Amino acid sequence: MKKVILASIYFLFVLLASCNDNDDDHGESSMADLLGQWSDTYDQGDGKRISSYTFMGDSTYEFRSDSYGFNGKPITELTGFSEVSGVFEVEGDSLILQAAQSEGVFKSKFWIKDDVLHLEYISYPADAPVLTQMEYDRID
């Protein structure tokens, strides 16, 4: 019961934090601003991951994540990758991604500032929902 109460309090805190007066500080970004390629590099000690989004004018997108240097390989060697493609739409400050391989959707708040794409969404690790933000640099 204590875990349920703590989880409820945490959920309310995240909800209240996401409804503050600073929501409009990011300005407005449109679908046209989103078009192009975006990338982020994440060093993970023994290797690195490079994730990239490509948004196209026909409302399709591609996401690719490349892993380098894992399993004792040199940091310059590709050791794994994953790809997802599908369609996207923009509704106000929300970006909605529908992968071709699944029926689920990924929805996040987005904004672009200084050629950096910000995605803000709730992730669900094992113990409680977490407000998560990712940043991708424009590469085209």
Side-chain angles (χ1 to χ4, degrees):
M1 181 68 178
K2 185 177 182 180
K3 287 183 180 182
V4 172
I5 292 171
L6 288 174
S8 298
I9 291 170
Y10 180 79
F11 178 75
L12 287 173
F13 174 78
V14 169
L15 183 63
L16 290 173
S18 67
C19 295
N20 65 30
D21 291 336
N22 296 329
D23 285 346
D24 296 329
D25 290 348
H26 306 305
E28 290 188 27
S29 298
S30 68
M31 181 175 161
D33 298 328
L34 189 62
L35 300 181
Q37 294 182 302
W38 305 86
S39 181
D40 178 54
T41 300
Y42 180 67
D43 291 317
Q44 291 185 285
D46 59 340
K48 68 179 177 180
R49 294 195 197 289
I50 300 175
S51 299
S52 62
Y53 279 101
T54 304
F55 296 98
M56 291 154 275
D58 64 354
S59 297
T60 60
Y61 78 95
E62 295 175 354
F63 174 80
R64 181 173 170 108
S65 181
D66 293 324
S67 300
Y68 294 89
F70 291 97
N71 301 321
K73 303 289 183 182
I75 196 74
T76 56
E77 186 175 331
L78 181 67
T79 54
F81 71 93
S82 64
E83 293 179 321
V84 176
S85 61
V87 295
F88 75 95
E89 64 181 288
V90 171
E91 291 181 0
D93 66 352
S94 294
L95 172 64
I96 303 163
L97 304 176
Q98 169 69 54
Q101 300 88 343
S102 71
E103 293 189 23
V105 296
F106 172 77
K107 183 174 182 179
S108 71
K109 180 176 178 181
F110 87 102
W111 66 94
I112 298 166
K113 183 174 181 182
D114 299 327
D115 282 334
V116 176
L117 169 64
H118 301 264
L119 300 178
E120 187 175 84
Y121 55 93
I122 301 293
S123 60
Y124 294 91
D127 50 351
V130 175
L131 185 63
T132 304
Q133 188 178 106
M134 299 294 295
E135 295 179 352
Y136 296 86
D137 297 316
R138 184 179 292 278
I139 59 172
D140 62 348

